[in-house]
Amino acid sequence: MRRTAVALTLLAALSCGSFAGSQAVSAASASAGGSGGGGGGRGTNILVVGIDSRAGLSAAEKRRLHVGGKGCNCTDVMMLVHLSQNRRRASIVSIPRDSYVEYAATTATATAPARSGKINGAYALGGGPLTVATVEKATGLRIDHYLETGFTGFEQTVDNLGGATVCTDRPLKDENSGLDIGAGRHLADGNRALRYVRARHVNLRPGDLGRVRRQQRVVDDLLARLTAEGALAGPISTARTVRTLLKTVRTDARTGLDDLVRIGWALGRLRADRTEFATVPIRLFDHRVPGVGSTLVWDEARSAALWAALGADRPITGDTRIQPASENPAPADPARIAVRVDDAEVAAALRGSGFLVTDTSATAPAVRPSGSPVIRYATGQEDNAATVAAALPGSRLQVDPELDAVVEVTVGARPVQVRSVTFDRNVADGAPVTAERLRCAEAPAAAGAARPGSAVEPSGRR
């Protein structure tokens, strides 16, 4: 076993809950033997979770962390890290908390009918062991190691490491998590970073997939900065880093300091194109189950291809079985985009493609302006405008600060072709990517280069 302890620990630090103590891996994993060889010579799998619990937090701490309300004593964040057998690749897959799965059986329920629910509920039923067993059942993969952390653990970890880099190409705000940051690249302290990774009601695309992407980006940037600073350059420096991280992260009984040092040292030697991030592909985003609520249903074929690739120790980026490439992809959902179009035929064609169209051809000028269509949009509507542009090849984009959330299309004298577009939230927020595509555009600043919580130069990406 060699490869991801520090990243794992960092991943664990992104969990949103409180420590519940060390947990053992499942009985199936324990009986498989070995110390992390993983899946019969197929690499090593580590499950990292965070528990949504406010237990032990004072009222002042809840206010400071912006975590008011009642916790569910369930996993809020879950990441599965696969370390390749040759120690030259790490694949980090986020499993959304609301994934609808069948729970593994416990000793008490061995003879009872199988029970299904949100994957985060396995922890409340049987703690870490049942969580591990349920992930094994859902994925078909063996889990070799388990890590767990929480709200304060994440905050302290980031502070101990000198802050975390966060970035966005547009302002992000979420009243529930307390997130409120401007566009650009920022070095955030633990408290601000916690709000960034917890936000699921942001003003852009809300939901878990966007939140998971932000978590992955912070993990990647932390790892990149640790590597750049030499914190993983050798056994001694790696051991020092691991000891710092273990102050706020718990491991299971089978994961020792020596394992973490070997893994962290190997991680420090990984190239960015050898570290992959992805989210389990989803087929249904609001599957209602009586007594359970709104759940996420995995895309059966895509998720099976994902787990098969990890089980066979293959890369997940570039595998079209995991994320099929659409002919004309769009960054936003046409069904949520309001468009005003001053040509009746184009308006009808866009409506047929799923856009919310208002036909304004009755007030269009008698003489059309020369050239291709012009798409006007307000600041913050870039994805919507890009989606309309994908449907109107050759069109021109213009920012218009006087517009609201409606995208406006002015058709010119040139003939217009309207193409169907494909929006896939899995591609927009969870497609497998390598680290250099995920992280903020500029190299993370060294700790202390900017005061945590302050802004640094805008990244120009995301």
Side-chain angles (χ1 to χ4, degrees):
M1 138 140 208
R2 265 189 156 105
R3 198 132 334 250
T4 287
V6 169
L8 268 263
T9 309
L10 294 175
L11 288 170
L14 286 179
S15 310
C16 300
S18 61
F19 289 135
S22 299
Q23 299 285 351
V25 295
S26 71
S29 295
S31 64
S35 59
R42 291 294 188 177
T44 302
N45 297 312
I46 307 172
L47 185 65
V48 183
V49 306
I51 313 307
D52 184 359
S53 171
R54 278 70 168 169
L57 294 179
S58 67
E61 286 177 316
K62 291 180 182 179
R63 287 193 298 272
R64 176 174 57 79
L65 297 171
H66 215 276
V67 292
K70 184 179 180 181
C72 63
N73 191 37
C74 60
T75 52
D76 189 52
V77 173
M78 182 178 291
M79 293 184 177
L80 191 157
V81 180
H82 174 79
L83 312 175
S84 68
Q85 182 68 19
N86 63 12
R87 311 310 178 211
R88 295 180 182 176
R89 184 181 64 258
S91 303
I92 301 167
V93 179
S94 295
I95 301 176
R97 55 173 286 163
D98 293 337
S99 298
Y100 190 60
V101 299
E102 188 175 278
Y103 297 136
T106 64
T107 302
T109 63
T111 60
R115 179 178 176 181
S116 297
K118 296 181 181 181
I119 200 166
N120 67 343
Y123 190 92
L125 295 174
L130 184 60
T131 298
V132 169
T134 297
V135 171
E136 290 179 330
K137 182 175 183 177
T139 65
L141 300 172
R142 193 187 83 177
I143 302 302
D144 302 293
H145 297 276
Y146 174 88
L147 299 177
E148 182 182 298
T149 192
F151 290 131
T152 56
F154 169 74
E155 181 188 37
Q156 293 167 13
T157 296
V158 172
D159 286 339
N160 289 343
L161 295 175
T165 301
V166 301
C167 58
T168 174
D169 63 354
R170 279 163 279 179
L172 289 178
K173 188 171 184 178
D174 176 19
E175 293 184 2
N176 290 62
S177 73
L179 175 67
D180 189 1
I181 63 172
R185 185 168 169 271
H186 310 266
L187 182 61
D189 61 13
N191 185 283
R192 199 177 187 201
L194 177 64
R195 300 180 184 208
Y196 177 82
V197 301
R198 287 189 63 240
R200 57 190 308 205
H201 301 282
V202 293
N203 49 304
L204 299 176
R205 283 196 298 267
D208 261 358
L209 267 63
R211 179 179 77 146
V212 163
R213 226 16 157 195
R214 289 190 295 277
Q215 294 164 358
Q216 294 172 352
R217 186 170 296 126
V218 168
V219 167
D220 180 51
D221 283 332
L222 280 172
L223 181 58
R225 183 155 55 81
L226 287 173
T227 301
E229 293 173 351
L232 306 176
I236 295 177
S237 59
T238 303
R240 186 180 302 116
T241 301
V242 169
R243 287 185 184 279
T244 297
L245 294 168
L246 286 179
K247 294 176 182 178
T248 50
V249 176
R250 302 287 181 92
T251 68
D252 68 284
R254 300 177 67 232
T255 305
L257 178 64
D258 55 341
D259 295 319
L260 298 181
V261 171
R262 287 196 299 269
I263 291 171
W265 187 17
L267 270 177
R269 300 195 299 272
L270 276 180
R271 299 195 323 241
D273 63 352
R274 294 286 185 153
T275 304
E276 308 173 308
F277 292 86
T279 302
V280 181
I282 305 299
R283 178 172 61 86
L284 297 176
F285 285 88
D286 187 19
H287 177 58
R288 300 280 172 164
V289 180
V292 178
S294 177
T295 68
L296 301 174
V297 175
W298 295 351
D299 184 292
E300 291 84 354
R302 291 183 184 185
S303 61
L306 172 63
W307 308 133
L310 296 180
D313 205 25
R314 299 193 308 264
I316 59 176
T317 50
D319 190 333
T320 56
R321 293 169 299 179
I322 298 172
Q323 212 64 267
S326 59
E327 183 177 345
N328 192 23
D333 185 357
R336 296 178 178 272
I337 302 176
V339 189
R340 287 196 290 260
V341 187
D342 70 350
D343 180 273
E345 290 186 9
V346 175
L350 286 175
R351 188 178 294 112
S353 294
F355 292 88
L356 301 174
V357 177
T358 298
D359 183 349
T360 61
S361 59
T363 58
V367 179
R368 294 284 178 181
S370 61
S372 54
V374 174
I375 299 172
R376 295 183 176 84
Y377 62 96
T379 300
Q381 298 294 312
E382 289 81 3
D383 283 352
N384 287 352
T387 300
V388 177
L392 301 174
S395 56
R396 295 166 288 170
L397 290 166
Q398 290 183 4
V399 177
D400 187 341
E402 296 186 3
L403 285 178
D404 49 19
V406 176
V407 177
E408 197 165 87
V409 177
T410 300
V411 176
R414 184 178 301 175
V416 179
Q417 174 191 9
V418 180
R419 297 182 60 193
S420 295
V421 298
T422 301
F423 170 69
D424 187 336
R425 286 179 62 181
N426 296 289
V427 175
D429 291 316
V433 294
T434 51
E436 76 272 14
R437 291 186 56 195
L438 184 66
R439 67 183 49 153
C440 298
E442 298 142 359
R451 177 175 55 83
S454 65
V456 295
E457 286 297 317
S459 67
R461 185 195 301 178
R462 296 180 182 83

